[in-house]
Amino acid sequence: MSALVRSVGMAAPVALAVTMAAYWHGGQPRPAVQAKIMEAAPAIPGKYLALVAMTEKVDSAAEGEKAREENQRLGFAGGDIAAAKPFRALGGAGEDHDRALQCLTQAIYYEAAHEPESGQRAVAQVVLNRVRHPAFAKTVCGVVYQRFDAAVCQFSFVCDGSLARRPSPALWDRAKRIATDALGGRVEKDVGTATHYHADYVFPRWAPHLAKLIQIGAHIFYRWPGGWGQPSAFSGRYAGGENIPAFDPSRYAAAPASVIDYPPVAALTERRAVNDVGGRMDPTKGWKLSIADPSPSGGALGDMLARQEKVAPITLAADDHNIQGVQP
């Protein structure tokens, strides 16, 4: 995303030359795909035009540790956080509801699948806040896919090839549950009227110009400054007519392949044997060895440990090391 800076986009594989329906696993709904989202241009007051333009760019003032330092240096806005009103524009059934649920679930999953549940609810709240703010589209899918056919998307997962990755069923189901709650009127009060967020490892140039509200997990949430960020400004009416756009897969065909997606591990010095065909472990992703730890009781190992406990320890003098073939 541009206004919602998430991460350096991961390039899509050439396998994106498939239809949109292939992006969803069997358990997910397959709403009809439309060619385009047609909505009227949002009404933006003159004094906010430059700020809106700034938030639609992806350039960052800092990244990595430098960005974290800048984010810590930037203070939070004072005062109470005014909660948004419940979103109940959609009923519990129907085509619009199904499409809106699909789009909101995608935003939660691809933006915050590994964030705490409160962070996922916060992402859902930002999407619904945008639906009711005059600066953005007036449908859920319209917000999520805003600028999908431009060089820079509002949500980067729409344009960076993330949709080609088959979602984890368990994480998808959790995202769908959270999306269902949000469309049913549940409010994440902690983010109030936030309309923007970014990951803490980037520091977008627009950050100092918006009101910084709260950090949840790796995401920092903001609202518009002044009256445009207050509840009274969220007067936009839900338009209905949810559409999920079709994509031209050829736009991704020339995208460079992702070199590696876990930089902390990739940065380690290579210390493997040339004939080692194994891969690296990345514990930051929750990966664990599939080989169980040995049990100290029972079996040959238990017998060996028992015998060792009965043998008196051997103390070697300093000169004995060389005799035993042990290097000091």
Side-chain angles (χ1 to χ4, degrees):
M1 60 209 140
S2 58
L4 300 109
V5 180
R6 181 168 63 99
S7 64
V8 177
M10 186 184 302
V14 178
L16 257 173
V18 292
T19 61
M20 188 65 182
Y23 294 149
W24 299 303
H25 63 70
Q28 297 176 237
R30 292 177 170 82
V33 175
Q34 303 296 322
K36 226 173 187 183
I37 294 175
M38 300 297 294
E39 293 189 12
I44 301 173
K47 65 179 181 179
Y48 286 102
L49 286 173
L51 182 57
V52 171
M54 180 185 296
T55 62
E56 290 179 348
K57 297 177 180 178
V58 296
D59 55 329
S60 297
E63 296 182 4
E65 287 305 315
K66 178 63 175 176
R68 290 188 172 93
E69 293 174 5
E70 294 296 332
N71 285 318
Q72 290 180 357
R73 188 176 294 114
L74 181 63
F76 291 96
D80 296 333
I81 296 178
K85 295 179 180 179
F87 186 91
R88 295 196 176 95
L90 284 160
E95 192 173 71
D96 271 355
H97 177 272
D98 290 346
R99 290 179 178 175
L101 178 61
Q102 175 75 12
C103 290
L104 189 57
T105 302
Q106 286 179 330
I108 295 168
Y109 178 87
Y110 290 106
E111 292 289 305
H114 295 287
E115 289 294 297
E117 185 163 316
S118 58
Q120 294 191 350
R121 294 191 184 280
V123 168
Q125 189 65 56
V126 166
V127 173
L128 298 185
N129 285 349
R130 285 189 164 206
V131 173
R132 292 190 293 198
H133 195 276
F136 306 101
K138 291 292 152 285
T139 62
V140 176
C141 292
V143 164
V144 173
Y145 285 92
Q146 193 163 359
R147 296 173 61 84
F148 79 96
D149 53 354
V152 177
C153 296
Q154 289 289 291
F155 290 82
S156 58
F157 78 87
V158 171
C159 294
D160 68 6
S162 295
L163 287 168
R165 299 200 301 269
R166 191 179 184 87
S168 161
L171 294 178
W172 177 268
D173 289 344
R174 183 173 77 156
K176 185 176 181 180
R177 171 175 57 82
I178 292 171
T180 301
D181 291 345
L183 293 176
R186 176 161 179 168
V187 174
E188 184 60 32
K189 297 179 180 179
D190 288 344
V191 294
T193 56
T195 49
H196 298 73
Y197 65 86
H198 65 81
D200 63 358
Y201 49 81
V202 294
F203 187 70
R205 296 188 186 281
W206 52 257
H209 301 277
L210 273 67
K212 182 179 177 181
L213 298 177
I214 192 173
Q215 178 166 352
I216 303 177
H219 287 145
I220 305 172
F221 295 83
Y222 301 76
R223 64 167 172 79
W224 291 113
W228 225 33
Q230 298 302 319
S232 59
F234 290 74
S235 57
R237 296 178 62 85
Y238 175 73
E242 297 281 357
N243 291 318
I244 300 177
F247 288 82
D248 176 9
S250 64
R251 67 184 294 188
Y252 299 106
S258 177
V259 177
I260 198 162
D261 65 348
Y262 37 93
V265 177
L268 295 177
T269 303
E270 182 64 75
R271 299 186 64 184
R272 294 187 295 169
V274 293
N275 60 347
D276 182 3
V277 297
R280 290 191 182 96
M281 283 279 295
D282 184 5
T284 65
K285 291 177 180 262
W287 298 351
K288 297 180 180 179
L289 287 170
S290 59
I291 303 174
D293 291 332
S295 172
S297 60
L301 177 61
D303 294 338
M304 180 188 72
L305 294 175
R307 288 195 300 272
Q308 288 178 342
E309 290 174 357
K310 294 178 181 178
V311 178
I314 300 174
T315 302
L316 295 176
D319 292 338
D320 290 333
H321 284 283
N322 292 330
I323 297 175
Q324 299 295 326
V326 179
Q327 296 298 319

